[in-house]
Amino acid sequence: SVFKPSKNIISTRQKYSINEDKIIVGMASSFRWYNDEGELCKIIRSTVNKSCKIKFLLIVGDKRRVKPIKNLINTNNLESHTKILDQIPFNKMSRVLNMCDILISHFNFHRVWPHNCSIKHLEYLAVGKPVVATNAGYVNFAIENNVNGILIEEGDVKGFSDAILKLASDREMRETYGTNGRKKAVNELTWYRNVDKFVQPLFRIQSN
């Protein structure tokens, strides 16, 4: 109910000084080692080299990571293609995600076993946005390839960039994937649905 689609994005973009004609590619993260920010910069560079209409929005949850990320973006001369926001309050996060056209989830665990899942993917799907995500273990369990997003193998910079460009050039695909993601979030991924999965078998056992 908090993370739901909204078409009122112009005022939000104006608030954060983002041009209305840009395709916004957003990533919300605490930016830990496994997000591999160096590789992410390569993805950004590869993408913006092929499309000047795309702007990346990095939403940094850990304030300590803001300065290092800004330095990395500046070192790679990507500051004109990237905007960084930090510590967005929870009650405003839905609005920020809604002003994006595409949401991404980039990981590279470098052969280290990944953690189980990330709550942001549920938020991504709930606001009805298409997702480009790394196909890494159970991290992106909610993303279905060519259904509500596109899954890319770890380390595939070109593949990740190409997927973003594909969605950026196809509004109908973005809307279809976004709608599918919202349906999955509501029908399968809420706490109520997950509680039902545990409780219903118990009722069947009692009835038997």
Side-chain angles (χ1 to χ4, degrees), residues 110-162:
H110 298 280
R111 300 183 180 179
V112 177
W113 189 253
H115 62 74
N116 286 333
C117 66
S118 292
I119 193 70
K120 69 182 176 187
H121 306 119
L122 310 188
E123 297 168 356
Y124 283 4
L125 296 182
V127 295
K129 301 295 177 178
V131 183
V132 179
T134 307
N135 188 19
Y138 292 103
V139 178
N140 289 313
F141 70 97
I143 312 304
E144 296 179 82
N145 194 41
N146 296 323
V147 177
N148 55 33
I150 302 175
L151 290 172
I152 306 298
E153 296 305 311
E154 286 180 283
D156 186 357
V157 171
K158 183 180 184 301
F160 211 102
S161 175
D162 286 348

Side-chain angles (χ1 to χ4, degrees), residues 59-173:
I59 307 157
V60 185
D62 185 346
K63 194 172 183 65
R64 295 170 298 179
R65 298 296 303 141
V66 174
K67 186 175 180 180
I69 292 170
K70 283 184 176 179
N71 289 340
L72 187 62
I73 293 296
N74 292 341
T75 299
N76 285 274
N77 298 315
L78 294 170
E79 59 271 20
S80 63
H81 306 289
T82 310
K83 188 173 187 65
I84 297 173
L85 301 179
D86 65 279
Q87 293 191 315
I88 299 297
F90 181 78
N91 63 349
K92 295 181 179 179
M93 182 60 79
S94 177
R95 291 182 63 188
V96 172
L97 294 181
N98 264 297
M99 76 171 171
C100 299
D101 300 285
I102 301 164
L103 293 168
I104 65 173
S105 174
H106 174 260
F107 292 89
N108 194 330
F109 289 91
H110 298 280
R111 300 183 180 179
V112 177
W113 189 253
H115 62 74
N116 286 333
C117 66
S118 292
I119 193 70
K120 69 182 176 187
H121 306 119
L122 310 188
E123 297 168 356
Y124 283 4
L125 296 182
V127 295
K129 301 295 177 178
V131 183
V132 179
T134 307
N135 188 19
Y138 292 103
V139 178
N140 289 313
F141 70 97
I143 312 304
E144 296 179 82
N145 194 41
N146 296 323
V147 177
N148 55 33
I150 302 175
L151 290 172
I152 306 298
E153 296 305 311
E154 286 180 283
D156 186 357
V157 171
K158 183 180 184 301
F160 211 102
S161 175
D162 286 348
I164 293 171
L165 290 164
K166 181 178 181 180
L167 285 169
S169 66
D170 193 332
R171 184 187 185 96
E172 185 177 349
M173 180 181 288

Side-chain angles (χ1 to χ4, degrees), residues 15 47 173 181 201 205:
K15 177 181 179 179
T47 305
M173 180 181 288
I205 291 171

